[in-house]
PDB file of all heavy atoms in Angstrom:
ATOM      1  N   GLY C 305     -39.155 -17.447 -13.291  1.00 87.00           N
ATOM      2  CA  GLY C 305     -39.770 -18.288 -14.306  1.00 87.00           C
ATOM      3  C   GLY C 305     -41.173 -18.705 -13.935  1.00 87.00           C
ATOM      4  O   GLY C 305     -42.072 -18.747 -14.781  1.00 87.00           O
ATOM      5  N   LEU C 306     -41.387 -19.006 -12.656  1.00 90.00           N
ATOM      6  CA  LEU C 306     -42.726 -19.379 -12.204  1.00 90.00           C
ATOM      7  C   LEU C 306     -43.694 -18.205 -12.349  1.00 90.00           C
ATOM      8  O   LEU C 306     -44.845 -18.374 -12.772  1.00 90.00           O
ATOM      9  CB  LEU C 306     -42.676 -19.844 -10.746  1.00 90.00           C
ATOM     10  CG  LEU C 306     -41.869 -21.115 -10.475  1.00 90.00           C
ATOM     11  CD1 LEU C 306     -41.747 -21.368  -8.982  1.00 90.00           C
ATOM     12  CD2 LEU C 306     -42.515 -22.322 -11.154  1.00 90.00           C
ATOM     13  N   TYR C 307     -43.213 -17.010 -12.004  1.00 91.00           N
ATOM     14  CA  TYR C 307     -44.060 -15.819 -12.140  1.00 91.00           C
ATOM     15  C   TYR C 307     -44.383 -15.565 -13.610  1.00 91.00           C
ATOM     16  O   TYR C 307     -45.519 -15.229 -13.963  1.00 91.00           O
ATOM     17  CB  TYR C 307     -43.354 -14.602 -11.541  1.00 91.00           C
ATOM     18  CG  TYR C 307     -44.155 -13.327 -11.663  1.00 91.00           C
ATOM     19  CD1 TYR C 307     -45.186 -13.039 -10.775  1.00 91.00           C
ATOM     20  CD2 TYR C 307     -43.894 -12.416 -12.690  1.00 91.00           C
ATOM     21  CE1 TYR C 307     -45.934 -11.881 -10.901  1.00 91.00           C
ATOM     22  CE2 TYR C 307     -44.629 -11.256 -12.824  1.00 91.00           C
ATOM     23  CZ  TYR C 307     -45.647 -10.990 -11.922  1.00 91.00           C
ATOM     24  OH  TYR C 307     -46.386  -9.848 -12.049  1.00 91.00           O
ATOM     25  N   GLN C 308     -43.382 -15.725 -14.480  1.00 86.00           N
ATOM     26  CA  GLN C 308     -43.604 -15.519 -15.910  1.00 86.00           C
ATOM     27  C   GLN C 308     -44.658 -16.487 -16.440  1.00 86.00           C
ATOM     28  O   GLN C 308     -45.524 -16.105 -17.240  1.00 86.00           O
ATOM     29  CB  GLN C 308     -42.293 -15.700 -16.673  1.00 86.00           C
ATOM     30  CG  GLN C 308     -42.410 -15.580 -18.184  1.00 86.00           C
ATOM     31  CD  GLN C 308     -42.761 -14.178 -18.632  1.00 86.00           C
ATOM     32  OE1 GLN C 308     -42.502 -13.218 -17.920  1.00 86.00           O
ATOM     33  NE2 GLN C 308     -43.358 -14.057 -19.811  1.00 86.00           N
ATOM     34  N   SER C 309     -44.604 -17.724 -16.004  1.00 86.00           N
ATOM     35  CA  SER C 309     -45.589 -18.712 -16.469  1.00 86.00           C
ATOM     36  C   SER C 309     -46.987 -18.352 -15.987  1.00 86.00           C
ATOM     37  O   SER C 309     -47.969 -18.446 -16.743  1.00 86.00           O
ATOM     38  CB  SER C 309     -45.198 -20.112 -15.977  1.00 86.00           C
ATOM     39  OG  SER C 309     -45.260 -20.204 -14.564  1.00 86.00           O
ATOM     40  N   ALA C 310     -47.116 -17.924 -14.732  1.00 89.00           N
ATOM     41  CA  ALA C 310     -48.425 -17.543 -14.192  1.00 89.00           C
ATOM     42  C   ALA C 310     -48.938 -16.279 -14.880  1.00 89.00           C
ATOM     43  O   ALA C 310     -50.133 -16.157 -15.173  1.00 89.00           O
ATOM     44  CB  ALA C 310     -48.324 -17.325 -12.683  1.00 89.00           C
ATOM     45  N   TRP C 311     -48.038 -15.333 -15.131  1.00 87.00           N
ATOM     46  CA  TRP C 311     -48.412 -14.078 -15.785  1.00 87.00           C
ATOM     47  C   TRP C 311     -48.973 -14.341 -17.182  1.00 87.00           C
ATOM     48  O   TRP C 311     -49.974 -13.755 -17.601  1.00 87.00           O
ATOM     49  CB  TRP C 311     -47.182 -13.180 -15.874  1.00 87.00           C
ATOM     50  CG  TRP C 311     -47.379 -11.918 -16.635  1.00 87.00           C
ATOM     51  CD1 TRP C 311     -47.011 -11.667 -17.914  1.00 87.00           C
ATOM     52  CD2 TRP C 311     -47.978 -10.714 -16.151  1.00 87.00           C
ATOM     53  NE1 TRP C 311     -47.346 -10.375 -18.271  1.00 87.00           N
ATOM     54  CE2 TRP C 311     -47.942  -9.772 -17.204  1.00 87.00           C
ATOM     55  CE3 TRP C 311     -48.537 -10.335 -14.934  1.00 87.00           C
ATOM     56  CZ2 TRP C 311     -48.446  -8.489 -17.078  1.00 87.00           C
ATOM     57  CZ3 TRP C 311     -49.034  -9.048 -14.808  1.00 87.00           C
ATOM     58  CH2 TRP C 311     -48.983  -8.144 -15.862  1.00 87.00           C
ATOM     59  N   THR C 312     -48.334 -15.254 -17.906  1.00 81.00           N
ATOM     60  CA  THR C 312     -48.787 -15.573 -19.259  1.00 81.00           C
ATOM     61  C   THR C 312     -50.164 -16.218 -19.240  1.00 81.00           C
ATOM     62  O   THR C 312     -51.035 -15.879 -20.045  1.00 81.00           O
ATOM     63  CB  THR C 312     -47.788 -16.511 -19.949  1.00 81.00           C
ATOM     64  OG1 THR C 312     -46.499 -15.878 -19.979  1.00 81.00           O
ATOM     65  CG2 THR C 312     -48.211 -16.828 -21.371  1.00 81.00           C
ATOM     66  N   LEU C 313     -50.384 -17.137 -18.303  1.00 83.00           N
ATOM     67  CA  LEU C 313     -51.656 -17.857 -18.246  1.00 83.00           C
ATOM     68  C   LEU C 313     -52.774 -17.037 -17.612  1.00 83.00           C
ATOM     69  O   LEU C 313     -53.940 -17.191 -17.971  1.00 83.00           O
ATOM     70  CB  LEU C 313     -51.494 -19.168 -17.453  1.00 83.00           C
ATOM     71  CG  LEU C 313     -50.709 -20.287 -18.122  1.00 83.00           C
ATOM     72  CD1 LEU C 313     -50.635 -21.488 -17.194  1.00 83.00           C
ATOM     73  CD2 LEU C 313     -51.363 -20.676 -19.430  1.00 83.00           C
ATOM     74  N   GLY C 314     -52.412 -16.167 -16.669  1.00 81.00           N
ATOM     75  CA  GLY C 314     -53.429 -15.471 -15.885  1.00 81.00           C
ATOM     76  C   GLY C 314     -54.392 -14.655 -16.714  1.00 81.00           C
ATOM     77  O   GLY C 314     -55.585 -14.589 -16.401  1.00 81.00           O
TER      78      GLY C 314
END
Side-chain angles (χ1 to χ4, degrees):
L306 296 173
Y307 179 80
Q308 177 67 24
S309 65
W311 174 260
T312 302
L313 288 179

